[in-house]
Amino acid sequence: MIRDIVRDTFFLSQPSVPAERNDVAIAEDLVDTLKANADRCVGLAANMIGERKCIIAIRVGHAYLAMLNPVVVRHAKESYEVREGCLSLAGERSAQRYAWLEVEYRDLKFRKKRQVFRDFPAEIVQHELDHCAGILI
């Protein structure tokens, strides 16, 4: 189901709580909402659709990936500065990002997965993880 995008900075600045197996429907709604906004967005976190759960969805090329409880387990030593926009906030802001990171997460069947993201997909994941932490970028 496609959901409205939350723009309330007070709500968005609250850290998310861990997702549970019965939160998979939220992840599916997140992917549906990301697809509906594909012309202007490459990633979403659950709080952006009104759910304070640690769930993110990203688009890499033409593929969509939902991650429940994503955690960075390794990352590049060096970081660099980028300018990022956000569907929930107006304008762009600076952020520090790693060129690559390895993330452990649960998939839509709540199976544990591990994946390495590089370059722009790594930036997307880091942006959405900031949302889960209540960090507004």
Side-chain angles (χ1 to χ4, degrees), residues 63-78:
Y64 292 85
L65 175 64
M67 292 181 261
L68 291 86
N69 301 323
V71 176
V72 175
V73 293
R74 291 187 317 134
H75 58 73
K77 291 179 184 175
E78 302 289 322

Side-chain angles (χ1 to χ4, degrees), residues 117-131:
F117 297 92
R118 298 182 186 286
D119 305 317
F120 188 56
E123 287 181 29
I124 301 167
V125 170
Q126 290 169 87
H127 180 99
E128 303 314 330
L129 288 173
D130 280 350
H131 272 292

Side-chain angles (χ1 to χ4, degrees), residues 5-9 12 47-48 86-90 131:
I5 301 299
V6 172
R7 290 176 170 68
D8 178 351
T9 55
L12 293 170
N47 63 355
M48 295 174 70
C86 180
L87 198 56
S88 287
L89 305 168
H131 272 292

Side-chain angles (χ1 to χ4, degrees), residues 32-111:
D32 289 345
T33 305
L34 180 56
K35 287 178 180 179
N37 289 279
D39 62 326
R40 59 195 184 123
C41 183
V42 291
L44 290 174
N47 63 355
M48 295 174 70
I49 62 167
E51 302 283 352
R52 281 191 47 235
K53 294 289 184 164
C54 192
I55 305 170
I56 68 172
I58 67 167
R59 185 180 82 216
V60 181
H62 296 292
Y64 292 85
L65 175 64
M67 292 181 261
L68 291 86
N69 301 323
V71 176
V72 175
V73 293
R74 291 187 317 134
H75 58 73
K77 291 179 184 175
E78 302 289 322
S79 65
Y80 58 94
E81 188 172 324
V82 295
R83 300 277 302 160
E84 295 177 350
C86 180
L87 198 56
S88 287
L89 305 168
E92 290 185 346
R93 284 147 303 283
S94 295
Q96 288 294 123
R97 298 294 183 222
Y98 297 108
W100 67 267
L101 61 153
E102 186 173 1
V103 179
E104 189 172 277
Y105 63 94
R106 299 280 180 166
D107 67 10
L108 290 174
K109 294 185 179 180
F110 220 70
R111 294 178 299 207

